[in-house]
Amino acid sequence: MELGIIGLGKMGGNMAERLRVGGHKVVGFDFNADTVKKLTDAGSVGVNSLEDLVKNLAAPRAIWIMVPAGDPVDETIAKLKPFMQKGDTFIDGGNSNYKDSQRRYAELKPEGFNFVDVGTSGGVWGLAEGYSMMIGGDKEPVERLRPIFETLAPGKEQGWGHVGPAGAGHFVKMVHNGIEYGMMQAYAEGFSIMGHKTQMNLDLAQIAEIWRYGSVVRSWLLDLTADALQKNPKLEGLEAYVSDSGEGRWTVFEAIDLNVSAPVITESLIRRIRSREDNNFTDRMLAIMRNAFGGHAVKKD
Amino acid sequence: MELGIIGLGKMGGNMAERLRVGGHKVVGFDFNADTVKKLTDAGSVGVNSLEDLVKNLAAPRAIWIMVPAGDPVDETIAKLKPFMQKGDTFIDGGNSNYKDSQRRYAELKPEGFNFVDVGTSGGVWGLAEGYSMMIGGDKEPVERLRPIFETLAPGKEQGWGHVGPAGAGHFVKMVHNGIEYGMMQAYAEGFSIMGHKTQMNLDLAQIAEIWRYGSVVRSWLLDLTADALQKNPKLEGLEAYVSDSGEGRWTVFEAIDLNVSAPVITESLIRRIRSREDNNFTDRMLAIMRNAFGGHAVKKD
Amino acid sequence: MELGIIGLGKMGGNMAERLRVGGHKVVGFDFNADTVKKLTDAGSVGVNSLEDLVKNLAAPRAIWIMVPAGDPVDETIAKLKPFMQKGDTFIDGGNSNYKDSQRRYAELKPEGFNFVDVGTSGGVWGLAEGYSMMIGGDKEPVERLRPIFETLAPGKEQGWGHVGPAGAGHFVKMVHNGIEYGMMQAYAEGFSIMGHKTQMNLDLAQIAEIWRYGSVVRSWLLDLTADALQKNPKLEGLEAYVSDSGEGRWTVFEAIDLNVSAPVITESLIRRIRSREDNNFTDRMLAIMRNAFGGHAVKKD
Amino acid sequence: MELGIIGLGKMGGNMAERLRVGGHKVVGFDFNADTVKKLTDAGSVGVNSLEDLVKNLAAPRAIWIMVPAGDPVDETIAKLKPFMQKGDTFIDGGNSNYKDSQRRYAELKPEGFNFVDVGTSGGVWGLAEGYSMMIGGDKEPVERLRPIFETLAPGKEQGWGHVGPAGAGHFVKMVHNGIEYGMMQAYAEGFSIMGHKTQMNLDLAQIAEIWRYGSVVRSWLLDLTADALQKNPKLEGLEAYVSDSGEGRWTVFEAIDLNVSAPVITESLIRRIRSREDNNFTDRMLAIMRNAFGGHAVKKD
């Protein structure tokens, strides 16, 4: 079928290609002319304006928005809307906050538009292995888009599903990322413990490779970790600095709002924040308190 | 090749069977006559005493001890030793503390015996899928046992390895379980958050199934969780009570001893402990403190 | 000087009394006629309407609002405003979110009104010992109210201060409560550990009393705890159920928004949430996962 | 009464002086001749050998050992014992592990000696304000030493007590320090949050001073913190590096062994460990995992 895609970056570009290979007509727009050309060169339809994007699609249209979460999504919808018709569908496939998706649905629905939110996982591996998609929205547009999801997914009936009303797709993706934080932290702590057992001289890459088969902790993340450790066994040359992209903290906020205790996901976020704190004030205060009550020496800076 | 096995329970019995199918001669002993008979019926050699076990194996012998960690291992070695000869090998395949394995090696080595510790993962799935094995000890006996490991493992060159000196096998298995605690807690928290988002009426079994393909959190644990949720979507009929079997707390102790901060593995252990605290004293004290300074009501028991 | 007070409950009523004893004229209103009568009986001016409240005060007026945080504060301001004049001051002495205080200031200032936010600590002990007050707002009204603060505080120059612009008072009070959560949890855990060391048969009330003098952990909270333990050494008859009143979770949200890692305050909140989770889903999921991979028994409900 | 003291450092020296002022005869030994001379100059009896120490005391003797925890205590007892008589008392006033104290009692008791363990808190402030003492051991020697405790304590009946059998003194002191870790971390996090709210430009020293009176978080630790912040408002010139001295980790181990969940005390220890981890391996592994699955950039070292 036909699909418009706005945003042809790392994610959007690969999705367009997977769809094209799967036999769909993709019309793509991006502010970056190079990525548009790349799309055209690959055999899809690259356009240079939102108006052209819409014109190249037959109603009822479906346009997949793959831009950074937040204002860019609202701005894209606002610019796109004048060219769209009742019955057309906006798809937000980015990492939006689910509350924004609920709001966007509530705004677009009364105007006759469909809004579908797709929490998309798969990263740089999606082109080859398919994307995991958690979908929120009304049944009708989701069903209409089934051929798209079946092609993007790892398998026709695998790795995607309509999980609930508008917002549910991004909600489930948010929690997915919260779990991801916890799993990553668990692995990283374990490997760190083993790396510090210097008298055993353990080979972390070997251990990761062993665990990939038959162990309880085998996973795709472990597969990637084993590969990374083989290439760089001591993880040299990189800073101990970990970013977070929003979903982790949203998960923490949501857990608290729902009165669900989620200490491990929360602690995983806190540790990422900690990785970015230089000259930590909290620790300096602890040092000075110890000095104040016990006369314990402090380290001078 | 030949292998003696002591302890033919859930783990030992299945390992004996996997070895037999793989073409090895297994001689097995257990205090439970039924499991010995079962072994014999399956085509292996069941015996009724440790002396007979040793007699049925040609030197240099290798005997795999699969009994509960702690004193039972020491007692088994002590009873077995009089029948063994220099050059024979004791294998501890249970969940022993790695410090015990280091001690046992140090005791047996001067007497001319080999000691090999094998951290074994795989649980009830090992018979069909193979066991993940992390092996510690001297090179010579580990190499000699290669045919055994190749058969027990998921693949000839997969899922097993000689990771370091005596104790290293159990050390790595210990950390494996620590990571396992963290991963489990991360999943469980995430599903709990989704389950409490009642207005979205999310189907946890469906979501687990979706995530199995293409998502970042896909893993073997998730495969099992998806299956469990499909059979019992609300996890009804079971208590919120979680045991721990030692490796988790040993991992926490080790991290502290090595001065490695491991908050997520630690918190995962603490939450299991918390699950077993009825009428929590800490919480009652918090309630009474709030009452004392703020006049806040307490709930009567 | 003169002060109007709206809300004559546990906190507001005691503050009115402390002010009266300190020589101020207090005009008080409450929806509960009994508390108004009690105020009048004590020698202050009780009134039955907001209009009367304002009429009994000379301009420039100052009215201390001591009602539950959230909508009640906005509603009170809205109802009161028609009777107020430019230059009059609204004081919010409750546990409002500091962002609401910033908003209220921004709404009232252009209309010519002053808004002062006072984070107030002291609970049921304030009448006798004085209230700790952290004050946000413009300098002029705060200085004008100095006699009020000097009387309410534990000492003329003690236990109160103008800490910053509008919102800063409630912000500092919010963090105060976050710290309070952490301290309470630390004490409660420590006493719980001692209580579980049954072979030593420790007397928790005695230990709390010992620590009150000379120890590093001496504090007012410990004084109260010692008293509570003396009255009820085993903390019998109350449920292990701990409420939280908002400031704790706001502190956690704020720490994350500011990218400050605050694991102990956060964990203290999470443990309160945990105290209210019956039949914990997370723990049930852990139990069923252990069963799924290892065949470990689950406890039936 | 008479008391021997071994170890005249920061703690032991001040305790000797407080006892002398209180009218007791103190006989003191230290390997450092200067501190012995200082003791003599102050009017107590300084000696240069353990033999002389014992000779200068009348039976039944009591000797307070104030040396670093661990081997030094055992060595001191071993060297001292030949000069001691049945009925004499060894007092360990240092920060020993309570299990060592239980062992020492069990060794000394059958030989006719008394052993009393005194968990001592007070740090550099003890000389002026008195020491908090938690005492374990048999009733008879503890009662005999009452005049010593009454003098060292903040008040005759305040700040000290016989809390249980041998080991109980150090056990309670251990938990005291665990609580101390949690309280310190709670304060430090709170002040850190406030310090990062830069748009409010909060004065942390002022806030600490305000909280000292009437607030729920008032404490001796806060008094010291307010003083430290006044002298160094930004905590400049010191490293974010926090030591721990043993009791914190023992408390964590004990909590786990007793199956008491103590997340805040535990997390406080973990954060101290974290403060000493340079180029954190865990965080580098998280960074490389994010890169591996999502193509997220890593910071180069």
Side-chain angles (χ1 to χ4, degrees):
Chain A
M1 63 183 291
E2 292 185 355
L3 186 76
I5 298 187
I6 297 171
L8 300 169
K10 199 164 53 181
M11 286 288 281
N14 281 346
M15 297 175 89
E17 178 61 10
R18 189 170 171 98
L19 287 169
R20 186 194 64 77
V21 170
H24 300 283
K25 175 188 171 185
V26 176
V27 184
F29 168 78
D30 196 295
F31 286 111
N32 181 331
D34 286 348
T35 63
V36 175
K37 182 173 184 306
K38 200 174 149 196
L39 185 81
T40 308
D41 290 349
S44 289
V45 182
V47 297
N48 292 305
S49 73
L50 294 179
E51 188 170 4
D52 281 350
L53 184 85
V54 176
K55 278 187 184 160
N56 274 278
L57 296 164
R61 296 170 192 84
I63 297 184
W64 187 293
I65 300 167
M66 208 68 188
V67 302
D71 292 342
V73 176
D74 285 317
E75 288 160 14
T76 300
I77 292 174
K79 286 179 191 159
L80 199 58
K81 215 161 50 172
F83 310 116
M84 301 277 273
Q85 290 174 278
K86 291 196 180 196
D88 286 353
T89 300
F90 295 83
I91 305 163
D92 179 5
N95 278 327
S96 295
N97 189 305
Y98 82 92
K99 293 178 184 175
D100 286 332
S101 298
Q102 290 176 324
R103 172 180 55 77
R104 285 164 190 148
Y105 172 87
E107 288 165 3
L108 291 165
K109 184 75 180 173
E111 306 181 48
F113 298 112
N114 294 305
F115 177 86
V116 170
D117 53 296
V118 183
T120 312
S121 179
V124 292
W125 299 82
L127 174 55
E129 306 200 359
Y131 297 90
S132 173
M133 288 169 295
M134 305 131 235
I135 304 164
D138 291 342
K139 188 168 183 182
E140 190 272 325
V142 172
E143 273 307 308
R144 183 146 35 92
L145 289 160
R146 174 177 283 271
I148 296 296
F149 298 131
E150 290 178 348
T151 301
L152 286 174
K156 205 175 167 184
E157 301 289 337
Q158 284 185 330
W160 74 278
H162 184 193
V163 298
H170 283 139
F171 183 89
V172 173
K173 175 57 163 50
M174 172 192 82
V175 175
H176 166 279
N177 282 32
I179 293 172
E180 174 191 302
Y181 280 38
M183 290 174 67
M184 289 171 69
Q185 180 71 25
Y187 282 121
E189 291 178 6
F191 280 99
S192 188
I193 292 168
M194 292 190 293
H196 282 78
K197 193 69 175 178
T198 48
Q199 62 267 52
M200 286 189 178
N201 197 26
L202 300 169
D203 177 341
L204 303 189
Q206 178 207 16
I207 292 166
E209 184 64 28
I210 291 172
W211 285 351
R212 292 181 62 205
Y213 305 93
S215 87
V216 175
V217 302
R218 63 193 191 257
S219 73
W220 185 66
L221 269 173
L222 181 65
D223 295 343
L224 300 181
T225 304
D227 184 60
L229 282 168
Q230 195 174 14
K231 290 174 182 157
N232 186 357
K234 304 282 184 191
L235 304 184
E236 286 164 329
L238 63 155
E239 250 189 65
Y241 181 101
V242 195
S243 300
D244 76 281
S245 56
E247 283 95 345
R249 50 187 71 203
W250 298 337
T251 307
V252 170
F253 295 157
E254 190 69 28
I256 293 174
D257 284 342
L258 290 172
N259 284 304
V260 173
S261 63
V264 153
I265 292 176
T266 303
E267 181 66 30
S268 300
L269 171 67
I270 289 176
R271 279 299 293 254
R272 292 193 178 194
I273 292 173
R274 176 64 185 81
S275 80
R276 305 190 301 255
E277 291 179 313
D278 284 330
N279 194 20
N280 192 271
F281 187 89
T282 302
D283 292 341
R284 281 186 286 141
M285 179 162 266
L286 294 176
I288 216 157
M289 286 170 125
R290 292 184 83 240
N291 177 262
F293 71 75
H296 302 290
V298 299
K299 283 208 176 192
K300 301 292 177 186
D301 198 19
Chain B
M1 63 184 289
E2 292 186 357
L3 187 76
I5 299 187
I6 298 171
L8 300 169
K10 200 164 53 180
M11 286 289 282
N14 281 347
M15 296 176 90
E17 178 61 8
R18 188 169 170 98
L19 286 169
R20 187 194 64 78
V21 171
H24 300 282
K25 175 188 169 185
V26 175
V27 184
F29 168 78
D30 197 295
F31 286 111
N32 182 331
D34 287 348
T35 62
V36 174
K37 181 171 186 309
K38 202 174 149 197
L39 185 81
T40 308
D41 290 350
S44 290
V45 182
V47 297
N48 291 307
S49 72
L50 294 179
E51 188 171 4
D52 281 350
L53 184 84
V54 175
K55 278 189 184 157
N56 275 278
L57 295 165
R61 296 169 191 86
I63 297 184
W64 188 292
I65 300 167
M66 209 67 189
V67 303
D71 292 342
V73 176
D74 286 317
E75 289 160 13
T76 300
I77 291 174
K79 286 181 191 156
L80 198 57
K81 216 160 50 172
F83 310 118
M84 301 277 273
Q85 289 173 278
K86 290 197 181 195
D88 286 354
T89 301
F90 295 83
I91 306 164
D92 180 4
N95 278 327
S96 295
N97 188 305
Y98 81 92
K99 292 176 185 176
D100 286 331
S101 298
Q102 290 177 324
R103 172 179 55 76
R104 285 164 191 150
Y105 172 87
E107 289 166 2
L108 290 166
K109 184 75 182 173
E111 306 182 48
F113 299 112
N114 295 305
F115 177 86
V116 170
D117 54 296
V118 183
T120 312
S121 179
V124 292
W125 299 81
L127 174 55
E129 305 200 359
Y131 297 90
S132 172
M133 288 169 294
M134 306 133 234
I135 303 164
D138 291 340
K139 187 167 182 182
E140 189 273 323
V142 172
E143 273 308 309
R144 184 144 35 93
L145 290 160
R146 173 176 285 271
I148 297 296
F149 298 132
E150 288 178 348
T151 300
L152 286 174
K156 203 174 169 186
E157 302 288 337
Q158 283 185 331
W160 73 279
H162 183 194
V163 298
H170 283 140
F171 184 89
V172 172
K173 174 57 163 52
M174 173 192 82
V175 175
H176 165 279
N177 283 32
I179 294 172
E180 173 192 302
Y181 279 38
M183 290 174 67
M184 289 171 69
Q185 180 72 24
Y187 282 122
E189 291 178 7
F191 280 99
S192 188
I193 293 168
M194 292 190 294
H196 282 78
K197 193 69 176 177
T198 47
Q199 62 268 53
M200 286 189 177
N201 197 26
L202 300 170
D203 177 339
L204 303 189
Q206 177 207 16
I207 292 166
E209 185 63 28
I210 291 172
W211 286 350
R212 292 182 62 205
Y213 305 94
S215 88
V216 175
V217 301
R218 64 194 190 256
S219 73
W220 185 64
L221 269 173
L222 181 66
D223 294 344
L224 300 182
T225 304
D227 184 60
L229 282 167
Q230 195 174 14
K231 290 174 182 156
N232 186 358
K234 304 284 184 191
L235 303 185
E236 286 164 328
L238 63 155
E239 249 188 66
Y241 182 100
V242 195
S243 299
D244 76 281
S245 55
E247 284 95 345
R249 50 187 69 205
W250 298 337
T251 307
V252 169
F253 295 157
E254 189 70 29
I256 293 173
D257 284 341
L258 291 172
N259 284 304
V260 174
S261 63
V264 153
I265 291 177
T266 303
E267 182 67 30
S268 299
L269 171 67
I270 289 176
R271 279 298 293 253
R272 290 194 178 192
I273 292 174
R274 177 64 185 83
S275 80
R276 305 190 300 253
E277 291 179 314
D278 282 331
N279 194 21
N280 192 272
F281 187 89
T282 302
D283 291 342
R284 282 185 286 141
M285 179 163 265
L286 293 176
I288 215 156
M289 285 171 124
R290 293 184 82 240
N291 177 263
F293 71 74
H296 303 289
V298 299
K299 283 209 175 189
K300 301 293 180 189
D301 198 20
Chain C
M1 62 183 292
E2 292 186 356
L3 188 76
I5 298 187
I6 297 171
L8 301 169
K10 199 164 53 178
M11 286 289 281
N14 281 347
M15 296 176 91
E17 178 60 9
R18 188 168 171 99
L19 287 169
R20 186 194 63 76
V21 171
H24 301 283
K25 174 186 171 187
V26 175
V27 184
F29 168 78
D30 197 295
F31 286 110
N32 181 331
D34 287 348
T35 63
V36 175
K37 182 173 184 308
K38 201 174 148 195
L39 184 82
T40 308
D41 291 349
S44 290
V45 183
V47 297
N48 293 306
S49 73
L50 294 179
E51 187 169 5
D52 282 350
L53 183 84
V54 175
K55 278 189 184 158
N56 275 279
L57 295 164
R61 296 169 191 85
I63 296 184
W64 188 292
I65 299 166
M66 209 64 188
V67 304
D71 291 342
V73 176
D74 285 317
E75 289 161 13
T76 301
I77 291 173
K79 286 180 191 156
L80 198 58
K81 214 159 53 172
F83 310 118
M84 301 277 272
Q85 290 173 278
K86 290 196 178 196
D88 286 353
T89 300
F90 295 83
I91 305 164
D92 179 4
N95 277 327
S96 294
N97 187 305
Y98 82 92
K99 292 177 183 175
D100 286 332
S101 298
Q102 291 177 322
R103 172 180 56 76
R104 285 164 191 150
Y105 172 87
E107 289 166 2
L108 290 166
K109 184 75 180 173
E111 306 182 48
F113 298 112
N114 293 305
F115 176 86
V116 170
D117 53 296
V118 183
T120 312
S121 180
V124 291
W125 299 81
L127 174 55
E129 306 200 0
Y131 297 90
S132 173
M133 288 169 293
M134 306 133 235
I135 304 164
D138 291 340
K139 188 167 183 183
E140 190 272 324
V142 173
E143 273 307 308
R144 184 144 36 90
L145 288 161
R146 173 176 284 272
I148 296 295
F149 298 132
E150 288 178 348
T151 301
L152 287 173
K156 205 174 168 184
E157 302 288 338
Q158 283 185 332
W160 73 279
H162 183 191
V163 298
H170 282 140
F171 183 90
V172 173
K173 174 56 162 52
M174 172 192 83
V175 176
H176 166 279
N177 283 32
I179 293 171
E180 173 192 303
Y181 279 38
M183 290 173 67
M184 290 170 69
Q185 180 73 24
Y187 282 121
E189 291 178 7
F191 280 99
S192 188
I193 293 168
M194 292 190 294
H196 282 79
K197 192 70 174 177
T198 47
Q199 62 267 54
M200 286 190 177
N201 197 24
L202 300 170
D203 177 342
L204 303 189
Q206 177 207 17
I207 292 166
E209 185 62 29
I210 291 172
W211 285 351
R212 292 182 62 207
Y213 305 94
S215 88
V216 175
V217 302
R218 63 193 192 257
S219 74
W220 185 65
L221 269 174
L222 182 65
D223 295 343
L224 300 182
T225 304
D227 183 61
L229 282 168
Q230 196 174 14
K231 289 174 183 157
N232 186 359
K234 303 281 184 194
L235 303 184
E236 286 164 329
L238 63 155
E239 248 188 68
Y241 181 101
V242 195
S243 298
D244 75 283
S245 56
E247 283 96 346
R249 50 187 70 204
W250 297 337
T251 307
V252 169
F253 295 157
E254 189 69 29
I256 294 173
D257 284 342
L258 291 172
N259 284 304
V260 173
S261 62
V264 153
I265 292 177
T266 303
E267 182 67 31
S268 299
L269 171 68
I270 289 176
R271 278 298 293 253
R272 292 195 178 192
I273 292 173
R274 177 64 185 82
S275 81
R276 306 190 299 254
E277 290 179 314
D278 283 330
N279 194 22
N280 191 272
F281 187 88
T282 303
D283 292 341
R284 282 186 287 142
M285 179 164 265
L286 294 176
I288 216 158
M289 285 170 125
R290 291 185 83 240
N291 177 262
F293 71 74
H296 303 290
V298 300
K299 283 208 175 191
K300 300 292 179 190
D301 197 20
Chain D
M1 61 182 292
E2 292 185 353
L3 187 75
I5 299 188
I6 297 171
L8 301 169
K10 201 163 54 180
M11 286 289 282
N14 281 346
M15 297 176 90
E17 178 61 9
R18 188 170 171 98
L19 286 168
R20 187 193 64 77
V21 171
H24 300 283
K25 174 186 170 188
V26 174
V27 184
F29 169 77
D30 197 295
F31 285 109
N32 181 332
D34 287 348
T35 62
V36 174
K37 182 173 184 309
K38 202 176 148 195
L39 184 81
T40 308
D41 290 349
S44 290
V45 182
V47 297
N48 292 307
S49 73
L50 294 179
E51 188 171 4
D52 281 351
L53 184 86
V54 176
K55 279 188 183 158
N56 274 279
L57 295 164
R61 298 171 190 83
I63 296 184
W64 188 292
I65 299 166
M66 208 66 186
V67 303
D71 292 341
V73 176
D74 286 316
E75 289 162 13
T76 300
I77 292 174
K79 286 179 191 159
L80 199 57
K81 217 162 48 173
F83 309 118
M84 301 277 273
Q85 290 173 279
K86 289 196 180 198
D88 286 354
T89 300
F90 295 83
I91 306 164
D92 179 5
N95 278 328
S96 295
N97 188 305
Y98 81 93
K99 292 177 184 175
D100 286 331
S101 298
Q102 290 176 324
R103 171 179 56 76
R104 285 165 191 148
Y105 172 87
E107 288 167 1
L108 291 166
K109 185 74 181 174
E111 307 182 47
F113 298 112
N114 294 305
F115 177 86
V116 170
D117 54 295
V118 183
T120 312
S121 180
V124 292
W125 300 80
L127 174 55
E129 306 200 0
Y131 296 90
S132 172
M133 287 169 295
M134 307 132 233
I135 303 164
D138 290 341
K139 187 168 184 184
E140 190 273 324
V142 172
E143 273 307 309
R144 184 145 35 91
L145 289 161
R146 173 177 284 272
I148 297 296
F149 298 131
E150 289 178 348
T151 301
L152 286 174
K156 206 175 166 183
E157 302 289 337
Q158 282 184 333
W160 73 278
H162 183 191
V163 298
H170 283 139
F171 184 90
V172 173
K173 174 58 163 51
M174 173 192 80
V175 175
H176 165 281
N177 282 32
I179 294 171
E180 174 191 303
Y181 280 37
M183 290 174 68
M184 289 171 70
Q185 180 72 23
Y187 282 122
E189 291 178 7
F191 280 99
S192 189
I193 294 167
M194 292 190 294
H196 282 79
K197 194 69 175 178
T198 49
Q199 62 267 51
M200 286 188 176
N201 197 26
L202 300 170
D203 177 342
L204 303 189
Q206 177 206 18
I207 291 166
E209 185 62 28
I210 291 172
W211 285 352
R212 292 182 60 206
Y213 304 94
S215 88
V216 175
V217 301
R218 64 192 190 257
S219 74
W220 185 66
L221 269 174
L222 182 65
D223 295 344
L224 300 181
T225 304
D227 184 60
L229 282 168
Q230 197 173 13
K231 290 174 182 158
N232 186 357
K234 303 283 185 194
L235 303 184
E236 286 163 328
L238 64 154
E239 248 188 67
Y241 182 100
V242 195
S243 299
D244 75 282
S245 56
E247 284 96 345
R249 51 186 71 202
W250 297 338
T251 307
V252 169
F253 294 156
E254 189 70 29
I256 293 173
D257 283 342
L258 290 172
N259 285 304
V260 173
S261 62
V264 152
I265 291 176
T266 303
E267 182 67 30
S268 299
L269 171 67
I270 289 176
R271 279 299 293 252
R272 292 194 177 193
I273 292 173
R274 176 65 184 82
S275 81
R276 305 190 300 254
E277 291 179 314
D278 284 328
N279 193 23
N280 192 271
F281 187 88
T282 303
D283 291 343
R284 282 185 287 141
M285 179 163 264
L286 294 176
I288 216 158
M289 285 170 126
R290 292 184 82 240
N291 177 262
F293 70 74
H296 302 290
V298 299
K299 284 208 175 192
K300 300 294 178 188
D301 198 19

